[in-house]
Every structure is written in structure tokens, then in C-alpha cells.
Amino acid sequence: MDMEVLGQEQSSEQLDLEEISRKISFLDKWREIFSYHRLGTNNTTPQNHEGNHTSADKNEDGTGISQPKGQGHLPSSGLCSIPNPSIISSKLGGFPISLAMATKLRQILFGNTVHVFSYNWKKAYFRFHDPSSKLAFTLEVGKGGARSIQMAVQGSIIKYLLFTRKGKDCNLGNLCEISKKEQEQALAAALAGILWAAGAAQKATICLVTEDIYVASTLDYSVDNFTERLQLFEFLEEEAAEKFIYDHLQCFRGEGSHGVILFLYSLIFSRTFERLQMDLDVTTTQLLQPHAGGFLCRQAVLNMILTGRASPNVFNGCEEGKSQETLHGILTRSDVGYLQWGKDASEDDRLSQVGSMLKTPKLPIWLCNINGNYSILFCTNRQLLSDWKMERLFDLYFYSGQPSQKKLVQLTIDTHSHHWERDQQEEKYGPRRRFSPVEMAIRTKWSEATINWNGTVPFF
């Protein structure tokens, strides 16, 4: 009798173990689907990439490891969230990412190899408003850290449409009436120009997602089933990079393409890890910072888009820190500038004040950081910052990127107004609502300016 009971208990325990194993297997299956985490990555197949037209230097990725052609790859399982139109053929001739490169990329972004991009980052891409709308030349921007990159790129799009494309006059009408093809040309030109500047006008590197996977998960590196699929394409001419981006624009502007992340990866590889280490200082050792469950761009990322260098600070030149360390700021004027104002910012902190290099760019376009929200100010008059007489009375146009904004806001700036005109502004809006944050940001450049909103309710 005892032997029979014991046998039943053992049989019951065996069934319990089998049930537990079955449930674990079931959970692993769904975990794989939802997190796109790959299991069983020991099956590798070599592949040769014929016709490689890239010019990769052995140490350009900053790892000191030469990446040969024909690197092995892991077969795709089809669990990637990126839609097929945004995935390129693995035989296009790019340079496959290696574990060393992916590790370096993760470290320079997050400071470790464990963190991955949040949902808001992954869904961010470069999408214009409808060509028939009054904001046809502007990007629709989302929430989270990717927003600052989208708005910084917006500045370069305006630069192209207003001042650098051929055959078009610099006026607001042409800007607001662009076609879908002109939108695509503007985005390709803007992205290529930014990458070319980051590559010191010598080389641009473009990252695209392929069909195959080149990097497996390790104890020190967690896969995201996106980064591990990259191929890198290097170009020694800006025009060639622009054409390549235009031909593969769906990889940056397609829904689900991870377009903003792809651009950020391209920006980092164009700048190279070696140059990034020289750009940064003790205040910034990684490009993203954790915030509210996601990640925000540090100033170095925005400066890299605006100036080509990942300078961590906004002051001119170099300054000495509290511990006598050298802090890196802005070295030259860029085409697109930068203004910032925050209600809690201290005017006594000189290291946080934007210097003249960013306040006075070559072209009258500014990325604005106003209380942590990014927006764009620009003027259609190219001569605004090169002829002091133009700065007496002029118009600026403001784009906030907010879904509620349906048309540009026209602001008239008077830099030689009298004190009684400013008093009238105070009487109109009340002493506590005298200046909106937008006005305060403008006054960091033109301190005594009076701003007329031309019938629009000021943004507060």
C-alpha cells in the first residue's frame, strides 16, 4: 500500500514538472513574440556581400577591429516589427554591423549595453504634414526624446527649402505650397547635409535595416532585433549620400521604420566614435539621459545636428569647470542656430547661457528649447543677421510642433521700440502675463524687443 501511494506521489510530481515545463515553454514563446528576443541563435550561415561599394576604414568604428566582407549572419525569424518596405536586401552592398560596433553604439548612447530604446523612440519617424496643408513644409512630431531630433532636422529642412535649393525664391508662399516630391527632396537633402557635416565634410555613413541578423545575444549585450540587422553604407561625396537617402527614403519616413533611431545611428557612425570621444567632456559621457521611463537627448546630440560636432555645451569655445577641467562649447557659427529659455534657469550660471555662435547663425533659423519643449523660429530674409539695419523691424515665423497648431504664427519683432510701447504690452496682457515663454526666448537674442503676435493669442 505504501509503495502504491509513493508511486502515485512520484507520478503526480512528474506531471507537475511536465506542466511547469510546458507553461515555461509557452511563456517563452510569447516573450519572444512581444520582445522580439531571439532564442536558439547557434545556427549561423556564412554570407558573402558582393559588390561592396563602401570604403570602410579598419578602425573607423572606433573599435580597432577590422570588419571583413562576408561576415556570417543569423537567419531572420520574421519577428521584427519593421514593415517590409523599410527593410532592404542584405545583398545591396553595405557593411554588416559587428558585435563590437553594436556594443560601442549602445555604450555611447546609454552608457551600458543593457538599455534599449523605448516605444516612443521606436515609433518615431520623419513624416510631413499633408502637402495641401498650410504646414506642408513641416514635420509631424511626436512625444518623447525623439521629438528634439525631429525639430532639429526641421531646421535643416527649412534651410534647404528657403535658402539652398535651386530655382526657387525665398518666400513663404513657396515654402507652404510644396509638393510631395519636394517634401521628399527636402528631407533627403537635410539628412544628407547633417550627416556630411558630422563626418567633417569627408564622409557620410548611412545605416539601414536588412533582412538578416549579424549579431547574436551575449551575456554582455541584449539584442533588440533591430540594431543587429544593420548594414552601413559610406559615401565620400555629399551628393551621393543624398541620392542614396532619397532612393531609400522609406527607411526614414515610413511608419514603423524606426526612422529617427536610424538617423541617430547614422549620425553617430558618420561622426565616428573616435571623434565623439574628442567632442565630449567630463560633463557628458553618453548621448542620452533617462527621463520618465524613456530617454532624452543630451545637448551634445542637438549640437551634433546643428554644428557637426557633439559639443556638450552651448557657450562659445572652451571654459574651465569647477574642478579646473576643460569644458567643450561651440567653436564656429553654424547655418542653423539655437535659443533656449526656461522659467527655472539661472541667469547667473554663465556655463548654461547660449553663446553668440549659436545665437547668431549664418542663416536666420533657430531651434528653440523653451521650458524643455522644442520649436522652430525662422525668418525668410536671408540678410537678417548680416545687415544690422534689417534687425530693426522684421518678421519671425514660429512653429511649435504641437498638433493643435494648424498654421504658422507670424511675429513682428521691433528692436527699437520705446518704453511706452512695452508698457502698452503690459497693460494689454496684465503684469503677470506680460511676456510669453516664446517672447522670453526671443529676448535672449534681442533683449529690448517688442513682439507683436499679429492677432494670435500669445503662447503661454
Side-chain angles (χ1 to χ4, degrees), residues 292-333:
F295 294 91
L296 297 179
C297 289
R298 292 183 181 269
Q299 189 65 42
V301 176
L302 302 181
N303 286 346
M304 186 160 40
I305 296 174
L306 297 175
T307 72
R309 290 187 177 91
S311 308
N313 301 289
V314 293
F315 50 72
N316 291 352
C318 294
E319 294 280 355
E320 189 176 278
K322 295 179 179 179
S323 301
Q324 297 186 334
E325 70 277 18
T326 300
L327 305 180
H328 300 164
I330 306 301
L331 301 181
T332 58
R333 292 173 67 197

Side-chain angles (χ1 to χ4, degrees), residues 152-421:
V153 170
Q154 178 69 71
S156 289
I157 289 172
I158 294 173
K159 164 192 163 181
Y160 168 80
L161 291 172
L162 273 183
F163 303 121
T164 62
R165 67 171 170 164
K166 299 177 181 179
K168 293 288 185 178
D169 295 330
C170 302
N171 63 66
L172 197 63
N174 287 336
L175 195 64
C176 296
E177 297 174 357
I178 65 173
S179 65
K180 182 179 179 181
K181 183 177 181 180
E182 288 175 313
Q183 288 178 335
E184 295 170 350
Q185 292 171 335
L187 180 58
L191 297 181
I194 293 168
L195 297 180
W196 186 249
Q202 298 173 1
K203 180 164 57 180
T205 302
I206 299 166
C207 300
L208 298 182
V209 180
T210 69
E211 304 163 318
D212 299 320
I213 293 180
Y214 307 101
V215 177
S217 179
T218 69
L219 292 175
D220 299 321
Y221 179 85
S222 301
V223 300
D224 56 25
N225 205 31
F226 165 68
T227 306
E228 301 78 33
R229 306 166 72 99
L230 294 181
Q231 280 192 14
L232 282 63
F233 300 82
E234 294 181 344
F235 299 90
L236 303 181
E237 295 180 352
E238 181 179 357
E239 293 77 11
E242 181 178 335
K243 183 181 185 304
F244 184 82
I245 292 176
Y246 184 81
D247 291 342
H248 300 89
L249 205 58
Q250 191 64 22
C251 299
F252 297 96
R253 70 181 182 95
E255 186 173 2
S257 65
H258 296 38
V260 172
I261 300 177
L262 267 183
F263 170 68
L264 179 56
Y265 282 176
S266 301
L267 187 66
I268 291 171
F269 281 116
S270 293
R271 189 60 188 157
T272 76
F273 295 118
E274 183 179 10
R275 290 198 192 102
L276 280 170
Q277 292 302 325
M278 291 188 293
D279 291 343
L280 301 176
D281 58 31
V282 295
T283 65
T284 303
T285 57
Q286 64 200 57
L287 298 178
L288 303 179
Q289 59 182 354
H291 178 77
F295 294 91
L296 297 179
C297 289
R298 292 183 181 269
Q299 189 65 42
V301 176
L302 302 181
N303 286 346
M304 186 160 40
I305 296 174
L306 297 175
T307 72
R309 290 187 177 91
S311 308
N313 301 289
V314 293
F315 50 72
N316 291 352
C318 294
E319 294 280 355
E320 189 176 278
K322 295 179 179 179
S323 301
Q324 297 186 334
E325 70 277 18
T326 300
L327 305 180
H328 300 164
I330 306 301
L331 301 181
T332 58
R333 292 173 67 197
S334 54
D335 289 337
V336 178
Y338 180 78
L339 300 175
Q340 72 178 16
W341 183 83
K343 60 182 180 180
D344 298 324
S346 172
E347 295 184 3
D348 296 329
D349 184 4
R350 61 182 178 83
L351 296 181
S352 67
Q353 302 302 310
V354 179
S356 60
M357 294 291 187
L358 287 175
K359 283 185 180 180
T360 310
K362 296 177 183 178
L363 298 172
I365 309 168
W366 293 266
L367 171 67
C368 300
N369 177 358
I370 304 175
N371 287 324
N373 297 313
Y374 290 89
S375 52
I376 290 288
L377 277 169
F378 69 94
C379 178
T380 57
N381 182 1
R382 186 184 189 125
Q383 304 302 317
L384 176 66
L385 301 176
S386 57
D387 184 348
W388 64 270
K389 294 187 293 295
M390 299 290 181
E391 291 189 72
R392 194 222 177 276
L393 185 67
F394 57 94
D395 287 336
L396 291 178
Y397 296 93
F398 179 71
Y399 175 56
S400 68
Q402 299 294 335
S404 59
Q405 184 175 353
K406 304 303 180 183
K407 63 179 182 179
L408 283 177
V409 174
Q410 180 181 355
L411 305 171
T412 300
I413 315 301
D414 187 348
T415 61
H416 286 66
S417 60
H418 299 289
H419 67 85
W420 57 81
E421 295 176 279

